Amino acid sequence: MPTRRRAASGEAAAPSKEASQAATKDAPPSSDEPQIIPSKWRKILSFSLLFLIPYFYLLFFHYTVDEKLKRSILINALLSAAGFLFTIKLIPVASRYVLRRNLFGYDINKKGTPQGSIKVPESLGIAVGIVFLVLAILFQYFNFTADSNWLVEYNAALASICFMILLGFVDDVLDLPWRVKLVLPSFAALPLLMAYAGHTTIIIPKPLIPYVGLKVLDLGWIYKLYMGLLAVFCTNSINIHAGLNGLEVGQTVVIASAILMHNIMQIGASKDPEYQQAHAFSIYLVQPLMATSLALLSYNWYPSSVFVGDTYTYFAGMTMAVVGILGHFSETLLIFFLPQVLNFLLSLPQLSGIIPCPRHRLPRFDPQTGLLTGTNDGTLVNFFLRQFGSMTEQSLCIALLAFQAIASCFCFALRWLLTGWYK
């Protein structure tokens, strides 16, 4: 995760395993152990109302949603709310454990200030991922029966997400090179690809039908290859569009909110039960993702008291890829990911080795003014600074999240304009 510098091996003593275990079990936390800044949950909940109010308005008032389906969505929402509260309590506990195991970093964007020398606990995405999986598994009791058609794909989706959380945590601990990181999502997506029993066809856009001669095209194995590549893109795009307190989790919350509203719109506009169930499936996974992410954001927002690690970025990216694939709205998902697509295109020369790529492609921080200045590295973070001038870290993060929200609004407008003409 580019926002931090890992502790070097010489910065902490290396006691024996037995001594380390004894210190952990017998000794109370030392007085100089970094204190976790209290959660900013009130601020984060106020921020989330910008997205939650339109979502619940669409669910309860604007559209007529089947009562049974609405009941399942509400049960899932209540479980997610409980997951939010539990995650708020869990993160400080998990932070103390990772600090004791020397899983911490220093905030590079505060280097030269007192905050830049504070040990910040690393890889707190593992706590969020565990709570998410527990919520998703518990929800099966309320919604799925043993003969449910969706149960196999639901569990396959959870297996892929769980696999990605594990691989993300391995990356945080072992600090894997980029060429390995790029292929990790391919392995994590295997359970989903093997269990996928849905269609492998695409609808040809109406303007192209006279040239193609078909209304529907069956892609077969190529469609599954596309699903695998989508999973790779979504996980890595969240991971590389980073470098600021709150950016990784913030962009996830914005995209998740857009996905929820899109799903409700599709459910309300359709009378096909199978189509409605596909979008409800997406809601069942995105609501817990958003709730647990909001809890994490309350600690990761500027000034961050925890780092999310690659564990979270991989987990969030894989979850959104899964819902886009099984909800059959992968094209819409890619437009929601427009800032991540732009960031990837800007990063491509460095990621491909055409231009030298430093380990941390971060802006320059001036400890005298507290402002960030853009460098020539190919990231959307640096591009914004080059275009709009130096900013504080918090202001820059808010600007990037606003751009993420604008991209989501653009997607909704584009779908409305093209309805009936494009497909």
Side-chain angles (χ1 to χ4, degrees), residues 6-54:
R6 295 180 189 275
S9 58
E11 293 182 63
S16 67
K17 182 177 179 181
E18 293 79 5
S20 176
Q21 289 174 343
T24 302
K25 292 178 181 178
D26 302 330
S30 61
S31 59
D32 61 345
E33 188 175 84
Q35 298 299 308
I36 305 302
I37 300 173
S39 167
K40 312 171 192 72
W41 65 269
R42 290 183 179 85
K43 180 188 293 187
I44 297 305
L45 281 184
S46 300
F47 162 74
S48 67
L49 290 177
L50 294 172
F51 309 104
L52 293 178
I53 289 175

Short mmCIF file of all heavy atoms in Angstrom, two decimals, residues 6-54:
data_model
loop_
_atom_site.label_atom_id
_atom_site.label_comp_id
_atom_site.label_asym_id
_atom_site.label_seq_id
_atom_site.Cartn_x
_atom_site.Cartn_y
_atom_site.Cartn_z
N ARG A 6 7.16 0.60 5.25
CA ARG A 6 7.25 -0.48 6.23
C ARG A 6 8.46 -0.27 7.14
O ARG A 6 9.45 0.32 6.76
CB ARG A 6 7.40 -1.84 5.52
CG ARG A 6 6.19 -2.23 4.70
CD ARG A 6 6.45 -3.58 4.06
NE ARG A 6 5.41 -3.90 3.10
CZ ARG A 6 4.26 -4.47 3.41
NH1 ARG A 6 4.01 -4.76 4.67
NH2 ARG A 6 3.35 -4.74 2.49
N ALA A 7 8.34 -0.79 8.34
CA ALA A 7 9.46 -0.72 9.27
C ALA A 7 10.60 -1.59 8.75
O ALA A 7 10.39 -2.71 8.31
CB ALA A 7 9.02 -1.21 10.65
N ALA A 8 11.81 -1.05 8.77
CA ALA A 8 12.96 -1.82 8.35
C ALA A 8 13.30 -2.85 9.40
O ALA A 8 12.95 -2.73 10.58
CB ALA A 8 14.16 -0.89 8.12
N SER A 9 14.05 -3.87 8.97
CA SER A 9 14.35 -4.96 9.90
C SER A 9 15.16 -4.48 11.09
O SER A 9 15.08 -5.03 12.17
CB SER A 9 15.12 -6.07 9.16
OG SER A 9 16.31 -5.54 8.59
N GLY A 10 15.94 -3.42 10.91
CA GLY A 10 16.76 -2.91 12.00
C GLY A 10 16.02 -2.01 12.96
O GLY A 10 16.55 -1.63 13.99
N GLU A 11 14.77 -1.66 12.65
CA GLU A 11 14.04 -0.71 13.49
C GLU A 11 13.41 -1.39 14.68
O GLU A 11 12.91 -0.74 15.58
CB GLU A 11 12.97 -0.01 12.66
CG GLU A 11 13.54 0.89 11.61
CD GLU A 11 12.44 1.60 10.86
OE1 GLU A 11 11.71 2.38 11.48
OE2 GLU A 11 12.32 1.37 9.66
N ALA A 12 13.33 -2.69 14.71
CA ALA A 12 12.73 -3.40 15.84
C ALA A 12 13.60 -4.59 16.17
O ALA A 12 14.18 -5.23 15.31
CB ALA A 12 11.32 -3.86 15.48
N ALA A 13 13.71 -4.87 17.44
CA ALA A 13 14.50 -6.02 17.85
C ALA A 13 13.86 -7.29 17.37
O ALA A 13 12.67 -7.35 17.12
CB ALA A 13 14.61 -6.04 19.37
N ALA A 14 14.65 -8.35 17.27
CA ALA A 14 14.14 -9.63 16.78
C ALA A 14 14.30 -10.68 17.85
O ALA A 14 15.25 -11.48 17.84
CB ALA A 14 14.89 -10.06 15.50
N PRO A 15 13.43 -10.70 18.86
CA PRO A 15 13.55 -11.68 19.93
C PRO A 15 13.22 -13.07 19.43
O PRO A 15 12.63 -13.24 18.37
CB PRO A 15 12.51 -11.20 20.95
CG PRO A 15 11.48 -10.48 20.13
CD PRO A 15 12.25 -9.85 19.01
N SER A 16 13.59 -14.05 20.23
CA SER A 16 13.26 -15.42 19.85
C SER A 16 11.76 -15.61 19.89
O SER A 16 11.02 -14.84 20.48
CB SER A 16 13.91 -16.40 20.85
OG SER A 16 13.31 -16.25 22.13
N LYS A 17 11.31 -16.69 19.24
CA LYS A 17 9.88 -16.97 19.19
C LYS A 17 9.32 -17.17 20.59
O LYS A 17 8.25 -16.67 20.93
CB LYS A 17 9.65 -18.21 18.33
CG LYS A 17 8.18 -18.57 18.16
CD LYS A 17 8.01 -19.77 17.25
CE LYS A 17 6.55 -20.14 17.09
NZ LYS A 17 6.37 -21.32 16.23
N GLU A 18 10.09 -17.90 21.44
CA GLU A 18 9.60 -18.17 22.80
C GLU A 18 9.50 -16.88 23.61
O GLU A 18 8.52 -16.64 24.31
CB GLU A 18 10.53 -19.16 23.51
CG GLU A 18 10.52 -20.57 22.91
CD GLU A 18 11.36 -20.69 21.66
OE1 GLU A 18 12.04 -19.71 21.29
OE2 GLU A 18 11.34 -21.77 21.04
N ALA A 19 10.52 -16.02 23.48
CA ALA A 19 10.50 -14.77 24.22
C ALA A 19 9.38 -13.87 23.75
O ALA A 19 8.72 -13.18 24.53
CB ALA A 19 11.85 -14.05 24.07
N SER A 20 9.17 -13.87 22.42
CA SER A 20 8.10 -13.05 21.87
C SER A 20 6.75 -13.50 22.37
O SER A 20 5.90 -12.69 22.74
CB SER A 20 8.14 -13.11 20.34
OG SER A 20 7.07 -12.39 19.79
N GLN A 21 6.54 -14.82 22.39
CA GLN A 21 5.26 -15.35 22.86
C GLN A 21 5.06 -15.05 24.35
O GLN A 21 3.97 -14.69 24.79
CB GLN A 21 5.20 -16.86 22.63
CG GLN A 21 5.07 -17.22 21.15
CD GLN A 21 5.16 -18.71 20.94
OE1 GLN A 21 5.60 -19.46 21.81
NE2 GLN A 21 4.72 -19.16 19.78
N ALA A 22 6.13 -15.17 25.13
CA ALA A 22 6.02 -14.89 26.56
C ALA A 22 5.69 -13.43 26.80
O ALA A 22 4.87 -13.09 27.66
CB ALA A 22 7.33 -15.26 27.27
N ALA A 23 6.33 -12.55 26.03
CA ALA A 23 6.06 -11.12 26.20
C ALA A 23 4.62 -10.80 25.84
O ALA A 23 3.97 -9.98 26.48
CB ALA A 23 7.02 -10.30 25.33
N THR A 24 4.13 -11.47 24.81
CA THR A 24 2.76 -11.21 24.37
C THR A 24 1.76 -11.69 25.40
O THR A 24 0.75 -11.03 25.66
CB THR A 24 2.50 -11.91 23.01
OG1 THR A 24 3.44 -11.43 22.07
CG2 THR A 24 1.09 -11.63 22.52
N LYS A 25 2.02 -12.86 26.00
CA LYS A 25 1.03 -13.45 26.90
C LYS A 25 1.09 -12.85 28.30
O LYS A 25 0.07 -12.62 28.94
CB LYS A 25 1.27 -14.96 27.00
CG LYS A 25 0.97 -15.69 25.69
CD LYS A 25 1.28 -17.17 25.83
CE LYS A 25 1.01 -17.93 24.54
NZ LYS A 25 1.35 -19.35 24.65
N ASP A 26 2.33 -12.60 28.79
CA ASP A 26 2.48 -12.25 30.20
C ASP A 26 2.55 -10.75 30.45
O ASP A 26 2.08 -10.27 31.46
CB ASP A 26 3.75 -12.91 30.76
CG ASP A 26 3.69 -14.43 30.61
OD1 ASP A 26 2.57 -14.96 30.64
OD2 ASP A 26 4.76 -15.04 30.47
N ALA A 27 3.17 -10.01 29.52
CA ALA A 27 3.39 -8.60 29.78
C ALA A 27 2.20 -7.78 29.32
O ALA A 27 1.65 -8.03 28.26
CB ALA A 27 4.66 -8.13 29.05
N PRO A 28 1.80 -6.81 30.11
CA PRO A 28 0.74 -5.90 29.66
C PRO A 28 1.27 -4.99 28.57
O PRO A 28 2.48 -4.87 28.38
CB PRO A 28 0.40 -5.11 30.93
CG PRO A 28 1.66 -5.12 31.72
CD PRO A 28 2.31 -6.45 31.45
N PRO A 29 0.38 -4.35 27.80
CA PRO A 29 0.83 -3.45 26.76
C PRO A 29 1.73 -2.36 27.34
O PRO A 29 1.43 -1.80 28.39
CB PRO A 29 -0.48 -2.83 26.21
CG PRO A 29 -1.54 -3.83 26.58
CD PRO A 29 -1.09 -4.45 27.85
N SER A 30 2.85 -2.10 26.71
CA SER A 30 3.79 -1.11 27.21
C SER A 30 3.19 0.28 27.12
O SER A 30 2.36 0.57 26.28
CB SER A 30 5.09 -1.17 26.38
OG SER A 30 4.82 -0.88 25.03
N SER A 31 3.67 1.14 28.01
CA SER A 31 3.12 2.50 28.06
C SER A 31 3.45 3.30 26.81
O SER A 31 2.76 4.25 26.49
CB SER A 31 3.65 3.21 29.30
OG SER A 31 5.07 3.26 29.26
N ASP A 32 4.55 2.91 26.10
CA ASP A 32 4.92 3.65 24.90
C ASP A 32 4.29 3.06 23.65
O ASP A 32 4.62 3.45 22.54
CB ASP A 32 6.44 3.71 24.75
CG ASP A 32 7.06 2.32 24.62
OD1 ASP A 32 6.36 1.32 24.93
OD2 ASP A 32 8.24 2.24 24.22
N GLU A 33 3.40 2.08 23.81
CA GLU A 33 2.70 1.52 22.67
C GLU A 33 1.82 2.59 22.05
O GLU A 33 1.07 3.27 22.76
CB GLU A 33 1.85 0.32 23.11
CG GLU A 33 1.24 -0.44 21.94
CD GLU A 33 0.51 -1.68 22.43
OE1 GLU A 33 -0.66 -1.56 22.84
OE2 GLU A 33 1.12 -2.76 22.42
N PRO A 34 1.88 2.81 20.72
CA PRO A 34 1.11 3.87 20.09
C PRO A 34 -0.38 3.75 20.41
O PRO A 34 -0.94 2.66 20.37
CB PRO A 34 1.38 3.65 18.59
CG PRO A 34 2.67 2.92 18.53
CD PRO A 34 2.71 2.06 19.75
N GLN A 35 -0.99 4.86 20.74
CA GLN A 35 -2.41 4.88 21.05
C GLN A 35 -3.21 5.06 19.76
O GLN A 35 -2.87 5.90 18.92
CB GLN A 35 -2.71 6.01 22.03
CG GLN A 35 -2.00 5.87 23.37
CD GLN A 35 -2.41 4.60 24.10
OE1 GLN A 35 -3.59 4.34 24.29
NE2 GLN A 35 -1.43 3.82 24.53
N ILE A 36 -4.29 4.29 19.62
CA ILE A 36 -5.14 4.39 18.45
C ILE A 36 -6.05 5.60 18.60
O ILE A 36 -6.73 5.76 19.60
CB ILE A 36 -5.98 3.11 18.27
CG1 ILE A 36 -5.08 1.88 18.22
CG2 ILE A 36 -6.83 3.20 17.01
CD1 ILE A 36 -4.05 1.90 17.13
N ILE A 37 -6.03 6.49 17.60
CA ILE A 37 -6.90 7.66 17.62
C ILE A 37 -8.35 7.19 17.61
O ILE A 37 -8.70 6.29 16.85
CB ILE A 37 -6.62 8.57 16.40
CG1 ILE A 37 -5.16 9.03 16.42
CG2 ILE A 37 -7.55 9.77 16.38
CD1 ILE A 37 -4.75 9.79 15.19
N PRO A 38 -9.21 7.76 18.44
CA PRO A 38 -10.62 7.32 18.48
C PRO A 38 -11.29 7.40 17.12
O PRO A 38 -10.94 8.23 16.27
CB PRO A 38 -11.26 8.30 19.48
CG PRO A 38 -10.13 8.76 20.34
CD PRO A 38 -8.93 8.79 19.45
N SER A 39 -12.24 6.52 16.93
CA SER A 39 -12.97 6.46 15.66
C SER A 39 -13.68 7.76 15.35
O SER A 39 -14.21 8.43 16.26
CB SER A 39 -14.00 5.31 15.72
OG SER A 39 -14.91 5.40 14.65
N LYS A 40 -13.69 8.14 14.07
CA LYS A 40 -14.42 9.32 13.61
C LYS A 40 -15.77 8.90 13.03
O LYS A 40 -16.19 9.39 11.98
CB LYS A 40 -13.59 10.06 12.56
CG LYS A 40 -12.13 10.28 12.96
CD LYS A 40 -11.32 10.80 11.81
CE LYS A 40 -9.83 10.75 12.10
NZ LYS A 40 -9.28 9.39 12.10
N TRP A 41 -16.45 7.99 13.73
CA TRP A 41 -17.64 7.37 13.16
C TRP A 41 -18.78 8.37 12.95
O TRP A 41 -19.57 8.22 12.01
CB TRP A 41 -18.11 6.21 14.02
CG TRP A 41 -18.57 6.55 15.41
CD1 TRP A 41 -17.82 6.59 16.53
CD2 TRP A 41 -19.91 6.88 15.81
NE1 TRP A 41 -18.58 6.94 17.62
CE2 TRP A 41 -19.87 7.13 17.20
CE3 TRP A 41 -21.11 7.01 15.14
CZ2 TRP A 41 -21.00 7.48 17.92
CZ3 TRP A 41 -22.25 7.37 15.85
CH2 TRP A 41 -22.19 7.59 17.22
N ARG A 42 -18.89 9.39 13.77
CA ARG A 42 -19.96 10.37 13.58
C ARG A 42 -19.77 11.13 12.27
O ARG A 42 -20.71 11.35 11.52
CB ARG A 42 -19.99 11.35 14.76
CG ARG A 42 -20.47 10.73 16.08
CD ARG A 42 -20.54 11.76 17.19
NE ARG A 42 -21.02 11.19 18.44
CZ ARG A 42 -20.25 10.57 19.33
NH1 ARG A 42 -18.95 10.43 19.07
NH2 ARG A 42 -20.76 10.07 20.44
N LYS A 43 -18.52 11.54 12.00
CA LYS A 43 -18.23 12.24 10.75
C LYS A 43 -18.48 11.33 9.55
O LYS A 43 -19.05 11.76 8.53
CB LYS A 43 -16.77 12.71 10.75
CG LYS A 43 -16.35 13.45 9.49
CD LYS A 43 -14.86 13.72 9.47
CE LYS A 43 -14.46 14.72 10.54
NZ LYS A 43 -13.03 15.11 10.43
N ILE A 44 -18.08 10.07 9.66
CA ILE A 44 -18.22 9.14 8.55
C ILE A 44 -19.69 8.81 8.29
O ILE A 44 -20.13 8.72 7.14
CB ILE A 44 -17.41 7.86 8.84
CG1 ILE A 44 -15.92 8.20 8.94
CG2 ILE A 44 -17.65 6.81 7.76
CD1 ILE A 44 -15.35 8.92 7.74
N LEU A 45 -20.47 8.64 9.34
CA LEU A 45 -21.90 8.37 9.15
C LEU A 45 -22.59 9.57 8.50
O LEU A 45 -23.48 9.40 7.66
CB LEU A 45 -22.55 8.03 10.48
CG LEU A 45 -22.35 6.61 11.00
CD1 LEU A 45 -23.13 6.38 12.29
CD2 LEU A 45 -22.78 5.57 9.96
N SER A 46 -22.19 10.78 8.88
CA SER A 46 -22.76 11.97 8.23
C SER A 46 -22.43 11.98 6.75
O SER A 46 -23.28 12.30 5.90
CB SER A 46 -22.22 13.23 8.91
OG SER A 46 -22.55 13.25 10.28
N PHE A 47 -21.19 11.62 6.42
CA PHE A 47 -20.77 11.54 5.03
C PHE A 47 -21.56 10.47 4.27
O PHE A 47 -22.00 10.68 3.13
CB PHE A 47 -19.26 11.24 4.98
CG PHE A 47 -18.76 10.71 3.68
CD1 PHE A 47 -18.62 11.53 2.58
CD2 PHE A 47 -18.40 9.36 3.55
CE1 PHE A 47 -18.14 11.03 1.37
CE2 PHE A 47 -17.93 8.87 2.36
CZ PHE A 47 -17.80 9.70 1.26
N SER A 48 -21.81 9.33 4.92
CA SER A 48 -22.50 8.22 4.26
C SER A 48 -23.96 8.53 3.96
O SER A 48 -24.56 7.93 3.07
CB SER A 48 -22.40 6.95 5.11
OG SER A 48 -23.14 7.09 6.31
N LEU A 49 -24.56 9.48 4.70
CA LEU A 49 -25.96 9.84 4.45
C LEU A 49 -26.16 10.40 3.05
O LEU A 49 -27.26 10.30 2.48
CB LEU A 49 -26.44 10.86 5.49
CG LEU A 49 -26.60 10.33 6.92
CD1 LEU A 49 -27.01 11.46 7.86
CD2 LEU A 49 -27.61 9.20 6.97
N LEU A 50 -25.11 10.98 2.47
CA LEU A 50 -25.20 11.48 1.09
C LEU A 50 -25.56 10.37 0.12
O LEU A 50 -26.20 10.62 -0.91
CB LEU A 50 -23.87 12.11 0.68
CG LEU A 50 -23.43 13.38 1.41
CD1 LEU A 50 -22.01 13.76 1.02
CD2 LEU A 50 -24.40 14.52 1.12
N PHE A 51 -25.17 9.14 0.45
CA PHE A 51 -25.43 8.00 -0.42
C PHE A 51 -26.59 7.14 0.08
O PHE A 51 -27.36 6.59 -0.71
CB PHE A 51 -24.17 7.14 -0.55
CG PHE A 51 -22.95 7.92 -0.92
CD1 PHE A 51 -21.98 8.24 0.01
CD2 PHE A 51 -22.78 8.36 -2.23
CE1 PHE A 51 -20.86 8.97 -0.34
CE2 PHE A 51 -21.66 9.09 -2.59
CZ PHE A 51 -20.69 9.40 -1.65
N LEU A 52 -26.71 7.01 1.39
CA LEU A 52 -27.72 6.11 1.95
C LEU A 52 -29.14 6.65 1.80
O LEU A 52 -30.08 5.88 1.56
CB LEU A 52 -27.42 5.85 3.43
CG LEU A 52 -26.14 5.06 3.72
CD1 LEU A 52 -25.93 4.92 5.23
CD2 LEU A 52 -26.19 3.68 3.06
N ILE A 53 -29.32 7.97 1.92
CA ILE A 53 -30.66 8.54 1.79
C ILE A 53 -31.25 8.29 0.40
O ILE A 53 -32.39 7.81 0.28
CB ILE A 53 -30.65 10.05 2.14
CG1 ILE A 53 -30.43 10.22 3.66
CG2 ILE A 53 -31.95 10.72 1.72
CD1 ILE A 53 -30.29 11.67 4.10
N PRO A 54 -30.51 8.56 -0.70
CA PRO A 54 -31.06 8.23 -2.03
C PRO A 54 -31.33 6.74 -2.19
O PRO A 54 -32.34 6.35 -2.81
CB PRO A 54 -29.97 8.71 -3.00
CG PRO A 54 -29.18 9.70 -2.24
CD PRO A 54 -29.22 9.28 -0.82
#
